[in-house]
C-alpha cells in the first residue's frame, strides 16, 4: 500500500509497539495521528516522526473515560476530512499476579473498559469517516491470551484476576472484529484482529513481572501487515497470530455470543453517554 496521503490513527502510540508502528508509518509517508494520555510523550513521538521526514499530530485522551473517547473522535473529525486506517492498539495489561479489580471513570471493570469498550466506541464514532475514505482498514490489536466472556458477570465482580480480565477483554475485541466485519460487508472498510507477538519488550509486559522474549519490532511487523499489506485487501473478519492467519477462541465464532456482546456494548456506551449529559 502506498502510504503517501494516507491518514492513520493509532491509539496508544506514544510508547511500546504503538510508537514503533507510528514511526514506521510516518517514515513511509503517512500522516500519523498519535494518541496517548501523556502530552510530553505525545509531543516527543511527534518530534521523532517529523525528524524522520514524516507528518504527525498528537491527540490526548484517557481511554478509561468514554466521554474522553467521544472527545477524541470529535477532535479527529475536526482535524481531518479522511481516515484511511484506524489501529486500536491502546491497552492495559494484566498487572501481574496480585492485580486488584479497578474500575473506569464510568464504573466499568477497567480492562474491559480500556482494552475493548473504548475501541468499540471510538470505531463506531469514526466509522462514517472511514467509510467516506474507503477503501479503509481497521486493525484491532488483541492477544493470544483469550478467555470466554461470562455474560453473567462481565464486570468480574466475583473471583477477580487481572489475567482473566485481560484475556476476556482481548477476546471481546475479536468478537467485535468478526461482528463488525459482517456489518461492513460492501462498505469498502475491512476489520481484522491480531496477536502481534508474545511478551514483547513493553512497559505493560514488564509491569506484569514477565521477562520479555520478543521485540516490539516483531509485533510492529505483524500490525503493519494487517494495516498495509496488499494481501489483506478486501479481506475482513480475520484473526492473525503474528503474520499467520489463525483461529481465535471458539466464542469468537458464536453468533449468539457476538450479538450478546454487541447489545451489552451499545447499552454500556449509551449509559455512559446519558451519565455524561446529566453530570
Amino acid at each position: 500500500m502506498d502510504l503517501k496521503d494516507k491518514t492513520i490513527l493509532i491509539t496508544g502510540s506514544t510508547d511500546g509497539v504503538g510508537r514503533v508502528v507510528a514511526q514506521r508509518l510516518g517514515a513511509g509517508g503517512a500522516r500519523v495521528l498519535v494518541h496517548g494520555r501523556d502530552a510530553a510523550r505525545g509531543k516527543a513521538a511527534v518530534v521523532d516522526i517529523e525528524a524522520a521526514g514524516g507528518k504527525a499530530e498528537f491527540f490526548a485522551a484517557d481511554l478509561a473515560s468514554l466521554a474522553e473517547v467521544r472527545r477524541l473522535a470529535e477532535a479527529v473529525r475536526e482535524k481531518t476530512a479522511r481516515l484511511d486506517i484506524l489501529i486500536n492498539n491502546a491497552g492495559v495489561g494484566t498487572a501481574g499476579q496480585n492485580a486488584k479489580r479497578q474500575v473506569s471513570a464510568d464504573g466499568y471493570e477497567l480492562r474491559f473498559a480500556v482494552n475493548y469498550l473504548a475501541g468499540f466506541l471510538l470505531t463506531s464514532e469514526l466509522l462514517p469517516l472511514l467509510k467516506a475514505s474507503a477503501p479503509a482498514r481497521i486493525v484491532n490489536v488483541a492477544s493470544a491470551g483469550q478467555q470466554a466472556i461470562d455474560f453473567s458477570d462481565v464486570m468480574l465482580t466475583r473471583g477477580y484476576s487481572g489475567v482473566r480480565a485481560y484475556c476476556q477483554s482481548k477476546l471481546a475485541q475479536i468478537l467485535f472484529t468478526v461482528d463488525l466485519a459482517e456489518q461492513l460487508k460492501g462498505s469498502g472498510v475491512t476489520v481484522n484482529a491480531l496477536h502481534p507477538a508474545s511478551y514483547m519488550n513493553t512497559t505493560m509486559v514488564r509491569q506484569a513481572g514477565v521477562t520479555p522474549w520478543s521485540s516490539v519490532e516483531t509485533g510492529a511487523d505483524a500490525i503493519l501487515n494487517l494495516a498495509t499489506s496488499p494481501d489483506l485487501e478486501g479481506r475482513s473478519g480475520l484473526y492473525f497470530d503474528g503474520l499467520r492467519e489463525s483461529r481465535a477462541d471458539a466464542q469468537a465464532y458464536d453468533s449468539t455470543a457476538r450479538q450478546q456482546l454487541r447489545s451489552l456494548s451499545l447499552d454500556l456506551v449509551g449509559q455512559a453517554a446519558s451519565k455524561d449529559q446529566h453530570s
Side-chain angles (χ1 to χ4, degrees):
M1 180 191 285
D2 182 5
L3 293 173
K4 196 175 179 309
D5 301 326
K6 295 281 190 283
T7 299
I8 305 172
L9 170 62
I10 311 154
T11 65
S13 47
T14 60
D15 192 22
V17 71
R19 185 160 180 173
V20 176
V21 169
Q23 286 168 338
R24 289 210 199 155
L25 289 168
R31 175 191 179 199
V32 182
L33 310 183
V34 173
H35 157 266
R37 285 183 301 172
D38 185 281
R41 281 208 312 224
K43 284 174 186 149
V46 166
V47 166
D48 279 357
I49 292 166
E50 289 177 341
K55 301 185 288 287
E57 291 162 71
F58 174 63
F59 294 78
D62 183 350
L63 301 189
S65 159
L66 292 172
E68 287 208 29
V69 174
R70 285 191 172 87
R71 280 198 290 275
L72 170 61
E74 197 175 329
V76 168
R77 288 192 299 260
E78 280 175 9
K79 281 281 188 178
T80 181
R82 63 177 303 115
L83 183 62
D84 301 277
I85 303 171
L86 166 63
I87 302 175
N88 288 308
N89 165 72
V92 184
T94 65
Q97 293 304 307
N98 303 312
K100 299 281 186 288
R101 185 178 181 277
Q102 297 164 278
V103 295
S104 69
D106 305 285
Y108 305 144
E109 191 280 315
L110 186 67
R111 280 153 185 82
F112 186 83
V114 174
N115 296 352
Y116 163 66
L117 203 56
F120 170 85
L121 178 58
L122 183 63
T123 303
S124 305
E125 291 273 320
L126 292 175
L127 265 181
L129 199 53
L130 287 156
K131 285 177 178 174
S133 311
R137 297 187 190 188
I138 301 161
V139 177
N140 290 324
V141 181
S143 174
Q146 300 161 20
Q147 187 158 340
I149 301 160
D150 175 0
F151 285 100
S152 70
D153 187 26
V154 174
M155 297 305 164
L156 304 180
T157 56
R158 305 183 295 274
Y160 183 84
S161 94
V163 171
R164 183 181 164 209
Y166 177 81
C167 291
Q168 172 183 264
S169 70
K170 289 296 174 178
L171 183 57
Q173 282 185 294
I174 302 169
L175 267 76
F176 169 51
T177 300
V178 177
D179 194 55
L180 185 60
E182 288 181 5
Q183 293 174 48
L184 290 175
K185 273 182 185 158
S187 69
V189 181
T190 61
V191 54
N192 294 299
L194 81 157
H195 164 68
S198 295
Y199 298 115
M200 293 177 287
N201 53 331
T202 62
T203 306
M204 182 194 286
V205 168
R206 288 189 290 272
Q207 282 175 346
V210 176
T211 303
W213 74 56
S214 61
S215 71
V216 286
E217 287 73 22
T218 302
D221 287 342
I223 294 169
L224 288 164
N225 176 54
L226 288 195
T228 65
S229 169
D231 296 343
L232 271 298
E233 206 169 299
R235 302 190 70 213
S236 198
L238 307 174
Y239 168 70
F240 275 65
D241 183 346
L243 294 167
R244 286 180 308 110
E245 193 176 331
S246 189
R247 292 287 285 179
D249 181 274
Q251 194 180 48
Y253 309 104
D254 177 342
S255 58
T256 306
R258 293 198 305 271
Q259 197 173 350
Q260 263 184 294
L261 180 63
R262 188 194 328 146
S263 299
L264 171 69
S265 305
L266 289 167
D267 189 33
L268 293 174
V269 300
Q271 285 174 10
S274 58
K275 196 178 94 171
D276 295 340
Q277 285 155 15
H278 294 114
S279 59

